[in-house]
């Protein structure tokens, strides 16, 4: 097992064929995430359209809400990670988060058109996601050897993204069948979310039987590790220069003058790219190290920003969506695979929660800042600023992230 004992990380050890098989727990968690993402993406796909075009929110208001709901889970992520590490209760804590997100769909249904009710329901959904994410990723990280984590996270993210691909299609189908009845979308989303909770209860094994008995440091002690801190600093820098998918979709919708009925289909492009690339990129990261794919993924996002500054046409829009899919395939699971082996087994959920919290808070600042710049100066100057910020963050992250060590042979 390789750890950051030399100040370097993400080396690709040689493994046996048996070690390369994807654990059953990862496949079960992938199925749970697939179903849950169908539920959540049904709502996410129509949310920008509903809030900006339906309720008349300004870009600044939407940017604040979007960033707040992604960043407000900070303390809950830390709490979820800490609770999961105590006694190896990863499955139970993750299940509570999945259930809360499913119930939030009922909140959207009961809110009607009230902005406060919608905000409360969306906050409940984000809280549920915050509670479950670190325990779920810790379950994946603890289910196999560290040298194959890129593949495991790639398989999980591919299944997760299949749900993200199907969710907007389901929302589009429901809206077409019900003549734009958003309530019907919320009802179907709730039922599918409950199915995901049931799959977790029945098929995902607990972790208490697989964790080592030896004592380990508390999650906050991960911050004392210099290599983990460097990963955290780079993640925060890059997160602060990420403006959020919803803004990219709004820019495409306005640039193409896209009919509102087609707006929920825009997330299909990134989801398809993520689905196709998650496993191959995970394998590459296991073999070559996880630092370079992580940075190249953000370079792809920078390319999407640059394309949005050019005159928009359908080929350009398709390229933007593809680059967004490349960004997620090369960063989401790869980051967890990069950081996971740096953390002790019984403190892994808490340590990953610290990393995810830093990223979420940074993206809160990025989304709110971009929304403010758009409102004050317009969308083009705001996009220029975002591109320059991401380019500077990439240079800084290249210097901050620990370089890969030479390949070690597993004992």
């Amino acid at each position: 097992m390789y750890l950051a004992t030399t100040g370097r990380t993400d080396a690709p050890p040689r493994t046996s064929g048996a070690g390369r098989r994807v654990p059953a727990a990862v496949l079960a968690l992938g199925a749970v995430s697939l179903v849950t993402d169908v539920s959540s993406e049904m709502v996410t796909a129509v949310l920008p359209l509903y809030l900006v075009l339906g309720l008349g929110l300004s870009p600044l208001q939407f940017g604040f809400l979007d960033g707040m709901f992604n960043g407000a889970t900070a303390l809950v992520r830390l709490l979820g990670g800490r609770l999961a590490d105590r006694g190896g209760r990863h499955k139970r804590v993750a299940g509570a988060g999945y259930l809360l997100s499913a119930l939030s769909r009922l909140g959207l249904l009961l809110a009607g058109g009230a902005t406060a009710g919608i905000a409360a329901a969306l906050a409940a959904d984000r809280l549920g996601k915050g509670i479950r994410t670190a325990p779920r990723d810790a379950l994946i990280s603890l289910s196999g050897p560290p040298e194959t984590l890129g593949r495991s996270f790639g398989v999980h993210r591919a299944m997760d993204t299949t749900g993200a691909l199907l969710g907007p299609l389901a929302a589009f189908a429901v809206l077409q069948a019900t003549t734009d009845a958003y309530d019907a979308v919320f009802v179907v989303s709730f039922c599918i979310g409950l199915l995901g909770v049931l799959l977790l209860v029945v098929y995902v094994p607990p972790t208490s039987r697989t964790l080592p008995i030896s004592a380990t440091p508390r999650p906050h002690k991960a911050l004392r590790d210099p290599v983990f801190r460097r990963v955290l600093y780079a993640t925060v820098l890059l997160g602060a220069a990420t403006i959020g998918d919803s803004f990219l979709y709004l820019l495409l919708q306005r640039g193409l003058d896209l009919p509102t009925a087609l707006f929920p289909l825009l997330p299909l492009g990134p989801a398809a790219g993520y689905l196709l690339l998650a496993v191959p990129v995970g394998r590459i990261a296991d073999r070559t190290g996880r630092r370079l794919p992580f940075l190249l993924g953000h370079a792809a996002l920078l390319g999407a920003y640059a394309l949005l500054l050019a005159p928009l046409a359908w080929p350009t829009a398709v390229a933007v969506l593809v680059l967004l899919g490349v960004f997620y395939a090369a960063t989401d699971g790869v980051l967890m695979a990069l950081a996971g082996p740096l953390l002790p087994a019984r403190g892994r959920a808490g340590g990953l929660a610290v990393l995810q919290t830093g990223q979420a808070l940074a993206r809160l600042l990025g989304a709110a800042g971009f929304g403010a710049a758009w409102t004050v100066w317009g969308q083009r100057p705001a996009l220029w600023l975002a591109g320059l910020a991401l380019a500077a963050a990439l240079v800084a992250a290249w210097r901050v992230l620990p370089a890969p060590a030479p390949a070690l042979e597993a004992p």
Side-chain angles (χ1 to χ4, degrees), residues 87 98 192 250 276:
Y98 280 112
I192 296 175
L250 285 173
L276 293 174

Side-chain angles (χ1 to χ4, degrees), residues 237-319:
L237 283 171
L238 292 167
T242 304
I243 66 176
D245 300 354
S246 298
F247 274 122
L248 295 182
Y249 299 148
L250 285 173
L251 288 169
L252 288 175
Q253 191 270 337
R254 294 190 175 197
L256 296 173
D257 196 20
L258 193 69
T260 57
L262 298 179
F263 186 87
L265 299 181
L266 288 177
L268 295 181
Y274 194 177
L275 174 62
L276 293 174
L277 295 173
V279 176
V281 170
R283 289 176 176 172
I284 292 171
D286 283 339
R287 293 177 181 175
T288 66
R290 291 146 192 166
R291 174 178 179 264
L292 184 59
F294 182 68
L295 292 172
L296 289 178
H298 285 87
L301 182 63
L302 181 60
Y305 292 0
L307 288 176
L308 284 169
L309 288 168
L312 272 181
W314 275 108
T316 309
V318 170

Side-chain angles (χ1 to χ4, degrees), residues 10 16 36 45 60 258 264 277 294 317 366 379 398 401 403:
D10 80 0
S16 63
T36 302
L60 174 60
L258 193 69
L277 295 173
F294 182 68
Q379 65 184 45
W398 176 268
L401 273 177

Side-chain angles (χ1 to χ4, degrees), residues 36-215:
T36 302
D37 251 32
V38 172
S39 171
S40 62
E41 291 300 324
M42 287 183 68
V43 176
T44 302
V46 301
L47 193 60
L49 190 68
Y50 187 48
L51 293 179
V52 175
L53 300 183
L55 300 182
L57 270 65
S58 71
L60 174 60
Q61 291 172 315
F62 177 72
F64 179 76
L65 285 175
D66 186 59
M68 182 182 67
F69 291 138
N70 284 289
T73 61
L75 294 178
V76 179
R77 287 176 189 261
L78 296 174
L79 178 62
R82 184 67 180 272
L83 290 175
D85 284 333
R86 300 176 98 181
R89 295 181 293 186
H90 300 81
K91 177 180 176 179
R92 278 183 280 177
V93 175
Y98 280 112
L99 181 60
L100 180 59
S101 290
L103 293 175
S104 71
R105 315 291 186 252
L106 289 182
L108 287 171
L109 184 64
L110 296 174
T115 305
I118 292 172
L122 293 176
D125 174 56
R126 299 303 185 184
L127 289 176
K129 184 174 183 179
I131 290 171
R132 72 178 185 255
T133 300
R136 180 204 66 197
D137 285 346
L139 279 167
I140 297 171
S141 180
L142 294 166
S143 296
E147 62 268 18
T148 62
L149 285 183
R151 179 193 297 261
S152 291
F153 276 103
V155 168
H156 173 268
R157 294 318 198 246
M159 297 179 72
D160 181 272
T161 307
T162 301
L165 190 64
L166 295 175
L169 285 175
F172 179 75
V174 171
L175 288 176
Q176 290 297 309
T178 59
T179 316
D180 295 339
Y182 290 99
D183 287 353
V185 175
F186 302 150
V187 170
V188 175
S189 174
F190 168 68
C191 295
I192 296 175
L194 285 184
L195 176 60
V197 176
L198 180 61
L199 289 174
L200 177 77
V201 171
V202 175
Y203 291 107
V204 176
T207 52
S208 57
R209 296 173 300 183
T210 61
L211 287 177
I213 300 179
S214 59

